[in-house]
Amino acid sequence: MGYGSIDASIFMNMDFEDRFGHLLQDAIPPLPKAACPIVIIGAGGIVHAAHLPAYQQAGFPVAALVDANLEKASALAKEFSIPWATASIEEAIKKAPKDSIFDVAVPAGAILSVLPLLPDGAAVLIQKPMGNTLEEAEQILALCKEKGLTAAVNFQLRYAPNMLAAKKIADAGLLGDVHDMEIVIRVYTPWDLWTFLATAPRLEILYHSIHYIDLVRSWFGNPKSVQAKTVRNPQTASLSATKSLITLDYGEWKRVSIATNHGHKYEGSQLSYAQWEGSKGALHAVMGVNLDYPKGRQDTLSFAEPGGAWQTLPTRGNWFPQAFIGSMGSLQAFVTGDATNLPTSVEDAIDTMRTVEAAYIASERGGVPLNRE
Ligand SMILES: NC(=O)c1ccc[n+]([C@@H]2O[C@H](COP(=O)([O-])OP(=O)(O)OC[C@H]3O[C@@H](n4cnc5c(N)ncnc54)[C@H](O)[C@@H]3O)[C@@H](O)[C@H]2O)c1
């Protein structure tokens, strides 16, 4: 199945022929028939590791690369054969093709200083998180509305090949009634890769579990409420909390939890998965990138029926970088009219930020003290 210049087979093994075959073949993200040029603002680690490799693979043209640090922008532009690099956003806007999509990948604290510089009415993909706090997220949302921007937040996990396939399988009814979703991350994350996190008052939930919160919302919508505890690790004593337990309340018949420990240096007992249980079957998706960040390992997806053996399904590609094709592709498809909705629009993303905020408030409030009267 072709999508203009984009070859959908990069997502799935098209040769797989059993009852999952057609579902896996259809598990592709929204893509434009013809891609628009992209102007990237911010030439840091994530643009190098994921944005640019994804766009290269999808055939999305990158017109320019902007970074406050011109040396960084120039080096990355050279590595990925991007026509030009600059330190000036104004210059990039002046020279960019008219239908350019802006891809803002700066630290959260810089988003509110970059957005005002974009042309009114432009289309923009904003790296997560949508600001450092809910207050900033609300300012970002208001600014996008005021400037008439078509704006989405780069919550890309839902577009990872195994996650697209998992959702297709569940939507086709193969899991039955899904009553359990758990995300378990027990890995070693080298937080020192992000210098701006060294002083961040909020770390794990805002910068990492936010992906799982958004993934859960893409399955079940907004939770009724949130319980959480996020704690610090004595081995990274200068950082704020890097381990979290989050429970999302979807009522009496669903257990939805996220458990993360990013300081686990013990090979063999590291874990990184999302798992769903339904009345007819279960899915287990491994997110390999967390197991050796940022190099990563292979993502996988397995299915089992109650009492049966796990069967690994032939998904292809990984969260990093293939999911980044979906977050940019869905914005482009919306802008070109090839899709009618924008799943990670700022209007939707604000609810992921509200859920994050609720988790921090819940963690600060604490649970029910023991009654020892
Ligand atoms: N899976 C994901 O979606 C994912 C993964 C990693 C990081 N991120 C997010 O991406 C963002 C960037 O992360 P990173 O790892 O690339 O960080 P980084 O520190 O490696 O890079 C950030 C870059 O932005 C540039 N910059 C900062 N302010 C700027 C401005 N006003 N104008 C132009 N350039 C500016 C810096 O010079 C730097 O090169 C963060 O918000 C982070 O949370 C997302």
Side-chain angles (χ1 to χ4, degrees):
M1 197 185 301
Y3 278 75
S5 60
I6 296 153
D7 175 10
S9 69
I10 58 180
F11 293 98
M12 292 296 156
N13 184 342
M14 310 303 264
D15 303 328
F16 193 67
E17 282 177 14
D18 72 359
R19 67 187 160 135
F20 296 104
H22 70 285
L23 294 172
L24 296 186
Q25 283 173 25
D26 284 348
I28 52 173
L31 296 167
K33 288 203 175 74
C36 305
I38 301 167
V39 172
I40 301 181
I41 301 171
I46 193 60
V47 168
H48 182 244
H51 292 232
L52 288 171
Y55 302 164
Q56 206 166 49
Q57 191 174 14
F60 295 163
V62 179
L65 195 48
V66 189
D67 197 288
N69 179 336
L70 180 59
E71 260 175 48
K72 260 173 114 173
S74 303
L76 208 52
K78 196 166 166 216
E79 187 181 336
F80 284 87
S81 310
I82 295 161
W84 55 279
T86 172
S88 158
I89 296 176
E90 290 85 347
E91 189 195 356
I93 290 168
K94 213 179 283 172
K95 289 199 197 160
K98 277 257 166 312
D99 56 346
S100 291
I101 307 267
F102 293 90
D103 187 11
V104 176
V106 296
I111 295 170
L112 276 167
S113 62
V114 169
L115 291 185
L117 305 176
L118 302 187
D120 287 354
V124 56
L125 182 63
I126 304 165
Q127 250 304 352
K128 48 61 62 174
M130 186 180 170
N132 278 315
T133 57
L134 180 57
E135 200 185 338
E136 279 184 24
E138 276 160 357
Q139 287 169 17
I140 290 169
L141 179 63
L143 189 57
C144 291
K145 280 189 183 154
E146 194 185 303
K147 286 180 69 64
L149 302 175
T150 302
V153 177
N154 202 335
F155 286 129
Q156 74 292 129
L157 178 56
R158 61 177 81 190
Y159 296 121
N162 59 351
M163 298 301 169
L164 286 167
K167 193 72 172 56
K168 277 272 170 204
I169 289 166
D171 288 348
L174 294 183
L175 300 186
D177 179 23
V178 181
H179 54 78
D180 203 282
M181 177 172 179
E182 73 172 13
I183 288 139
V184 175
I185 308 295
R186 193 199 298 145
V187 297
Y188 177 73
T189 300
W191 295 112
D192 51 317
L193 286 179
W194 300 277
T195 48
F196 59 89
L197 291 184
T199 53
R202 289 178 170 186
L203 210 166
E204 202 287 318
I205 301 176
L206 178 65
Y207 277 91
H208 189 88
S209 278
I210 193 169
H211 284 295
Y212 312 124
I213 288 173
D214 191 69
L215 182 72
V216 167
R217 287 190 56 250
S218 77
W219 277 70
F220 303 132
N222 285 332
K224 289 183 193 165
S225 66
V226 182
Q227 294 173 41
K229 183 74 188 167
T230 187
V231 298
R232 299 172 68 186
N233 184 333
Q235 286 163 310
T236 48
S238 63
L239 297 177
S240 45
T242 58
K243 301 197 281 182
S244 311
L245 287 168
I246 305 168
T247 308
L248 299 155
D249 186 354
Y250 288 91
E252 206 181 333
W253 296 98
K254 261 191 189 58
R255 184 189 74 119
V256 180
S257 67
I258 300 167
T260 64
N261 170 4
H262 290 268
H264 190 77
K265 275 190 171 166
Y266 304 90
E267 272 284 331
S269 50
Q270 294 183 328
L271 294 168
S272 169
Y273 69 81
Q275 187 165 288
W276 298 262
E277 256 181 79
S279 49
K280 291 191 199 161
L283 283 169
H284 181 91
V286 170
M287 296 166 283
V289 71
N290 296 324
L291 295 169
D292 186 11
Y293 194 91
K295 199 171 129 225
R297 300 199 187 132
Q298 184 62 44
D299 281 358
T300 58
L301 182 66
S302 311
F303 173 80
E305 283 168 331
W310 286 99
Q311 174 190 6
T312 301
L313 306 180
T315 53
R316 279 173 63 185
N318 297 305
W319 178 358
F320 278 37
Q322 278 78 16
F324 289 70
I325 297 175
S327 45
M328 174 53 78
S330 70
L331 174 60
Q332 293 219 2
F334 185 69
V335 168
T336 57
D338 294 311
T340 51
N341 71 332
L342 182 56
T344 63
S345 67
V346 283
E347 288 80 6
D348 182 88
I350 190 89
D351 281 344
T352 292
M353 295 300 290
R354 287 184 178 122
T355 313
V356 165
E357 188 74 22
Y360 279 108
I361 293 171
S363 183
E364 274 163 32
R365 275 192 196 155
V368 180
L370 301 192
N371 183 351
R372 303 195 68 227
E373 293 294 297

